[in-house]
Amino acid sequence: MMFPLTYIIFFFFLILGVLISISSPSWFGVWIGLELNLMSFIPLISLKMSSYFSESALKYFLIQAMGSALLISSSFMFLSFMFSSLFLILFSLLLKMGSAPFHFWFPQVMEGLLWPQVFLLSTVQKIAPLTLTSYLMISEPLNKLIFISAVLSAVIGALGGLNLMLLRKIIAFSSINHLAWMLVAVSLSDMFWLFYFLIYSFILLSITTMFLKIQAFTLSSLIKSDQTNFLFTLFISFNFLSLGGLPPFTGFVPKWMLIQVLLNQNMFFILFFLLSSALITLYFYLRIIIPFILLMNPSMSFMTKFKSFCFISPSVMIFSSFNYLGLIFPLYSLIL
């Protein structure tokens, strides 16, 4: 179910709230932008009258309201207790973006959303908190606190996705794990986290577009969708391998660059957790891919729910083709 054309005003204020937050010279202006962004996203969640959408909208509103209250109250303390105020502001931003140890709400809200809202919550709604977090990189204790949150996000995002059958929760824990890489990149350079964020957004767009086309929300429904379509099996496999950061797909390129920077700065402890969690996330991506390879048998076509032509739509092919750009990146590096 796509968004109605009349909802374009909510998209406008959604982006406007992000722009106000990241360009405001004061924390009060940041709070106004975040509230505008929140009030615009709630109608996009409650697009359809359903208890699942209403529950997710209420959970998201309460969590974001708590984060906004902590942000505006801690900003009042900035002049008197600057150091403590910065810590509380950072905690509020971590809560808003769903980073560990404030991640508890993220999979629960994600479970009640449709795939377009899943994409927005995992990408657009994290732009403002991540940008504001990069503004707080002014002291060593704050850097260490972000590194701790990144390590916790990497571990929780990897272990939380194990033994799950619900695709939206798998994507939620995957988003938490990728957020760990982005938090580390935020502490190093603005260009690194922006580049990682853009690559992750394009990969997630290809996956959510494919799931939207076949209306798959569980692993069993995804497996039963079409075992006889070779192109569909190839696309879904490559998309998840790119999301897991397996070389030479596009998802590996930002991780490769970040690994090089961490090695040059001798940050082996953080790199160990990031790489270990990446291997674990790649394992539960393979749990999704392997059934397609094993069940790709023409004799099982009677089990399919959809026709093959539904999967190979132009939008799926265009968004999925982005994951193959990483194949030419090594050649480009050799030329340079």
Side-chain angles (χ1 to χ4, degrees):
M1 180 180 180
M2 296 300 292
F3 297 105
L5 188 61
T6 54
Y7 275 62
I8 193 170
I9 186 67
F10 295 117
F11 281 105
F12 172 76
F13 284 111
L14 187 78
I15 302 301
L16 181 62
V18 174
L19 295 178
I20 291 175
S21 296
I22 64 179
S23 60
S24 176
S26 66
W27 287 111
F28 182 74
V30 167
W31 174 74
I32 292 177
L34 292 175
E35 289 301 301
L36 180 62
N37 177 267
L38 170 61
M39 292 297 106
S40 304
F41 190 62
I42 294 297
L44 298 178
I45 298 179
S46 307
L47 187 62
K48 187 178 178 182
M49 294 301 295
S50 171
S51 59
Y52 293 104
F53 296 126
S54 301
E55 181 182 357
S56 295
L58 182 60
K59 288 179 179 178
Y60 184 77
F61 174 77
L62 293 176
I63 291 297
Q64 296 299 314
M66 184 188 304
S68 297
L70 181 60
L71 175 67
I72 194 64
S73 60
S74 57
S75 63
F76 290 152
M77 302 163 49
F78 189 79
L79 294 177
S80 301
F81 309 97
M82 177 180 175
F83 197 70
S84 301
S85 176
L86 290 176
F87 270 95
L88 292 177
I89 290 174
L90 180 59
F91 287 153
S92 66
L93 296 176
L94 294 177
L95 176 64
K96 278 184 167 294
M97 73 177 76
S99 176
F102 309 105
H103 67 284
F104 50 88
W105 63 271
F106 195 76
Q108 303 297 326
V109 172
M110 190 82 82
E111 181 57 28
L113 303 181
L114 295 175
W115 288 115
Q117 291 96 325
V118 167
F119 172 75
L120 290 177
L121 182 59
S122 300
T123 55
V124 177
Q125 294 303 98
K126 292 184 179 180
I127 296 177
L130 280 171
T131 307
L132 295 172
T133 303
S134 66
Y135 296 162
L136 295 176
M137 298 293 98
I138 58 176
S139 65
E140 188 65 24
L142 290 174
N143 280 343
K144 291 182 179 179
L145 192 61
I146 290 179
F147 288 145
I148 292 173
S149 178
V151 169
L152 291 176
S153 298
V155 174
I156 292 172
L159 298 181
L162 296 175
N163 299 325
L164 286 180
M165 299 294 290
L166 304 173
L167 292 176
R168 285 171 292 190
K169 280 196 173 182
I170 291 176
I171 296 298
F173 283 105
S174 170
S175 179
I176 294 173
N177 181 264
H178 281 280
L179 185 59
W181 291 80
M182 284 184 269
L183 284 175
V184 174
V186 161
S187 62
L188 298 176
S189 171
D190 288 338
M191 290 302 297
F192 272 122
W193 85 260
L194 283 173
F195 180 69
Y196 193 105
F197 179 81
L198 289 175
I199 297 293
Y200 170 72
S201 299
F202 279 112
I203 297 173
L204 187 62
L205 181 62
S206 64
I207 293 176
T208 53
T209 302
M210 185 169 291
F211 287 163
L212 179 65
K213 291 293 182 182
I214 63 177
Q215 289 297 306
F217 295 101
T218 62
L219 188 57
S220 59
S221 64
L222 184 64
I223 294 174
K224 292 178 182 178
S225 57
D226 194 352
Q227 291 94 345
T228 65
N229 194 331
F230 174 75
L231 284 179
F232 171 66
T233 303
L234 193 67
F235 281 159
I236 197 69
S237 301
F238 283 177
N239 286 347
F240 273 109
L241 290 177
S242 181
L243 185 65
L246 187 71
F249 297 103
T250 307
F252 174 69
V253 176
K255 289 187 176 181
W256 182 24
M257 297 173 64
L258 190 57
I259 288 170
Q260 294 294 325
V261 175
L262 292 177
L263 287 176
N264 292 335
Q265 297 193 8
N266 298 323
M267 301 173 67
F268 303 112
F269 180 77
I270 297 175
L271 184 59
F272 170 77
F273 282 99
L274 291 179
L275 292 179
S276 301
S277 64
L279 292 176
I280 298 175
T281 54
L282 190 61
Y283 165 73
F284 61 76
Y285 294 148
L286 290 175
R287 286 182 60 244
I288 303 175
I289 298 171
I290 289 176
F292 283 99
I293 301 174
L294 296 179
L295 299 176
M296 192 175 62
N297 187 352
S299 63
M300 300 181 66
S301 60
F302 65 91
M303 295 180 59
T304 59
K305 294 168 54 180
F306 307 98
K307 299 298 182 181
S308 298
F309 68 87
C310 295
F311 301 118
I312 314 303
S313 62
S315 60
V316 171
M317 295 186 68
I318 291 173
F319 293 138
S320 298
S321 63
F322 177 80
N323 296 296
Y324 315 136
L325 295 179
L327 298 173
I328 64 175
F329 188 80
L331 298 177
Y332 178 74
S333 301
L334 290 176
I335 293 175
L336 293 180

